Amino acid sequence: MGFLKPKMPAPPTPPPPPPELPPATHVEEYIDPVTGELTTAKKEAEKKLEKKKKGYTETILTSTQGDVSEADTYQKTLLGA
């Protein structure tokens, strides 16, 4: 009894293609007020990242093996024994 089945709906239309992006803008250079050098925002971000990495590595005090010193441990004694 195929005539009692409903017809299949049409498939949805495909989404439109993504719009084309505008070309990348050129990097603006400016004079850094602190150092007076010609710089860009990208160079400033790289300098900050390097500074953070350098500060982090100077705080590591152990080697790749970890802390190899002997731990300060003691055992309790039974009083009166």
Side-chain angles (χ1 to χ4, degrees):
M1 294 212 174
F3 65 91
L4 294 177
K5 291 183 183 177
K7 292 184 178 182
M8 292 289 293
T13 58
E20 291 185 25
L21 297 175
T25 59
H26 78 282
V27 178
E28 291 188 26
E29 295 179 339
Y30 60 94
I31 297 176
D32 187 21
V34 178
T35 60
E37 296 176 356
L38 190 64
T39 186
T40 63
K42 186 175 181 179
K43 287 181 185 177
E44 290 293 322
E46 289 173 355
K47 283 182 186 178
K48 287 181 182 179
L49 186 61
E50 289 297 320
K51 187 175 181 181
K52 284 183 181 181
K53 284 182 182 180
K54 182 180 177 184
Y56 176 73
T57 56
E58 289 177 353
T59 60
I60 298 174
L61 301 176
T62 58
S63 67
T64 57
Q65 296 175 348
D67 187 12
V68 293
S69 63
E70 190 66 33
D72 295 332
T73 60
Y74 65 95
Q75 288 185 336
K76 293 183 179 180
T77 59
L78 294 175
L79 298 177

